[in-house]
């Protein structure tokens, strides 16, 4: 298993903070240093600031875009629009619409000439990740993009553990296709993934894992 | 100006039909060969079968996906959802929602390891393409993707002329920035684009133009 500490991807400087994040450092700066003995949680992390995995990825993408490191966007939810009202002197209002099944993953984009494609999933489970969280069309899409030499992966968040893994799509697809396999265990995910730590800028530095995938591919291709 | 005849992109066979399309050949096969002298239209093309540019591109993408040539999808329209009903024993119904401004182009995907990103626009104008058809965020997005070494372009359809051009984003961005948003002339577009012909499978073989862009880039990079 690889482990990556806080590192700005895309050739940026490597910055380490003892608390694991700039956010944690700033938040505690103006607070009393003695904690209550009645505190329930063993440790408090301010780095993900209570954000969902999706929010963390969206914030990271915003940072990557602003810093011209990568262009990655979440795709909008596909909607089947049935009825639209056009009120006078006001903007159009959709009055009847339905959610449609997406035919792709949620995120894609470009980084240093590489096509990136990934799906992000969270679980509160502490020991394994249930494979039913992936839909067939997502697996199919990742497989199709792999065949076109895209860099394809999933970001799996174990929210209860506050641990985040960037797992190559090849391993996820293989697990999903293996008969009678309901879950990937945490240990399997640890073995096949690059773990990333929730940080400050970017909130979730997943491109550090992508850098590893690219380096591995270049080794395979003899570059 | 380059001109590409009917050609299956992605290393497929080159197939030519006298009428310019297989569809035209099939459609006329069972019909009387003598046309009415009262026919209004001078020539009838079955190749685009009255489809909008968007429909043609979507059909082409479906073909490229099925044949494992490329994975390109149109992004869903972004919607701001305000109110959703959850009727008993029925699926969720969106009852109030608004159209949002997209922050990217409509299409992106992966082809032989290359990231593709493009916007498609139609005009009924016969002599020039008004640049106000591009929104600022689309130009910004194409520019950002170019910096990440994506293959970025636009597909411009002159519907009255039944002519389709694949124009590198670099030229569109330059025109947009220098021309005070007026127009690109048809002649300028001819000079800077690769023209593609509406066909049968795929309906609009835009990857043949992409192949040229990739070849040009490889020459520039000394490959």
């Amino acid at each position: 298993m690889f482990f990556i500490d806080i590192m700005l991807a895309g050739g940026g400087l490597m910055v380490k903070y003892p608390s694991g994040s700039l956010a944690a450092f700033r938040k505690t700066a103006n607070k009393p240093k003695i904690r209550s003995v009645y505190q329930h949680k063993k440790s408090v992390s301010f780095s993900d600031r209570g954000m969902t995995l999706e929010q963390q990825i969206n914030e990271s993408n915003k940072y990557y875009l602003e810093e011209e490191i990568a262009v990655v966007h979440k795709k909008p939810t596909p909607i089947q629009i049935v009825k639209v009202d056009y009120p006078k002197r006001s903007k159009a209002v959709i009055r009847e619409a339905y959610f449609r099944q997406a035919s792709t993953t949620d995120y894609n984009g470009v980084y240093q000439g590489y096509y990136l494609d990934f799906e992000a999933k969270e679980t509160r489970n502490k020991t394994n990740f249930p494979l039913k969280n992936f839909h067939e069309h997502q697996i199919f899409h990742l497989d199709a993009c792999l065949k076109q030499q895209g860099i394809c992966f999933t970001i799996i968040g174990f929210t209860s553990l506050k641990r985040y893994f960037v797992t190559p799509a090849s391993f996820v697809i293989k697990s999903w296709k293996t008969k009678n396999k309901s879950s990937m265990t945490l240990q399997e995910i640890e073995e096949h993934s690059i773990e990333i730590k929730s940080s400050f800028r970017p909130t979730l530095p997943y491109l550090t894992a992508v850098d590893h995938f690219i380096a591995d591919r270049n080794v395979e291709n003899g570059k």
Side-chain angles (χ1 to χ4, degrees), chain A:
Chain A
M1 194 203 75
F2 301 92
F3 190 89
I4 288 172
D5 217 306
I6 304 125
M7 190 192 287
L8 303 180
L13 285 172
M14 187 158 172
V15 188
K16 287 198 182 202
Y17 296 92
S19 62
S21 120
L22 241 185
F25 178 76
R26 302 193 329 165
K27 284 233 178 185
T28 52
N30 299 325
K31 286 181 184 173
K33 283 180 183 175
I34 301 158
R35 291 181 188 275
S36 159
V37 289
Y38 297 107
Q39 192 182 328
H40 287 295
K41 288 181 185 172
K42 280 183 186 170
S43 69
V44 179
S45 165
F46 291 96
S47 56
D48 62 10
R49 288 164 282 166
M51 287 192 281
T52 64
L53 181 57
E54 181 181 322
Q55 287 169 328
Q56 290 186 67
I57 293 171
N58 290 348
E59 279 226 351
S60 303
N61 289 342
K62 200 178 157 193
Y63 169 82
Y64 287 140
L65 185 66
E66 284 168 359
E67 299 293 320
E68 300 192 353
I69 293 167
V71 183
V72 180
H73 288 276
K74 183 174 190 293
K75 291 187 182 178
T77 307
I79 303 286
Q80 179 71 46
I81 297 168
V82 176
K83 190 183 164 206
V84 183
D85 278 356
Y86 298 92
K88 277 180 192 171
R89 283 183 288 278
S90 185
K91 60 183 175 180
V93 190
I94 297 160
R95 286 296 179 198
E96 186 184 349
Y98 299 90
F99 294 100
R100 280 167 48 202
Q101 178 85 302
S103 50
T104 66
T105 50
D106 272 353
Y107 300 88
N108 74 355
V110 59
Y111 169 57
Q112 296 182 359
Y114 294 95
Y115 173 80
L116 306 186
D117 200 295
F118 62 99
E119 186 64 32
K121 299 280 189 196
E122 282 180 301
T123 182
R124 296 202 63 80
N125 199 308
K126 290 176 184 175
T127 56
N128 60 68
F129 182 83
L131 282 160
K132 69 174 191 307
N133 281 305
F134 290 107
H135 303 297
E136 189 169 12
H137 68 269
Q138 292 168 335
I139 297 293
F140 175 86
H141 176 73
L142 287 170
D143 209 6
C145 290
L146 268 185
K147 284 177 184 159
Q148 291 298 325
Q149 304 157 49
I151 307 275
C152 307
F153 53 93
T154 62
I155 301 179
I156 296 175
F158 285 87
T159 48
S160 304
L161 309 172
K162 290 192 181 293
R163 293 183 69 183
Y164 302 92
F165 296 92
V166 184
T167 311
S170 54
F171 179 71
V172 177
I173 294 165
K174 193 181 159 198
S175 302
W176 196 86
K177 285 181 176 171
T178 304
K179 272 186 185 173
N180 299 325
K181 189 165 172 65
S182 57
S183 288
M184 295 184 289
T185 65
L186 176 57
Q187 195 188 329
E188 284 175 324
I189 291 170
E190 283 174 338
E191 278 167 12
H192 290 89
S193 309
I194 293 175
E195 184 167 2
I196 49 173
K197 284 220 147 178
S198 196
S199 178
F200 178 55
R201 293 194 81 196
T203 319
L204 206 61
Y206 67 83
L207 286 184
T208 51
V210 170
D211 287 337
H212 276 260
F213 297 152
I214 292 170
D216 288 349
R217 174 188 286 195
N218 288 342
V219 168
E220 281 169 25
N221 294 344
K223 281 186 190 169

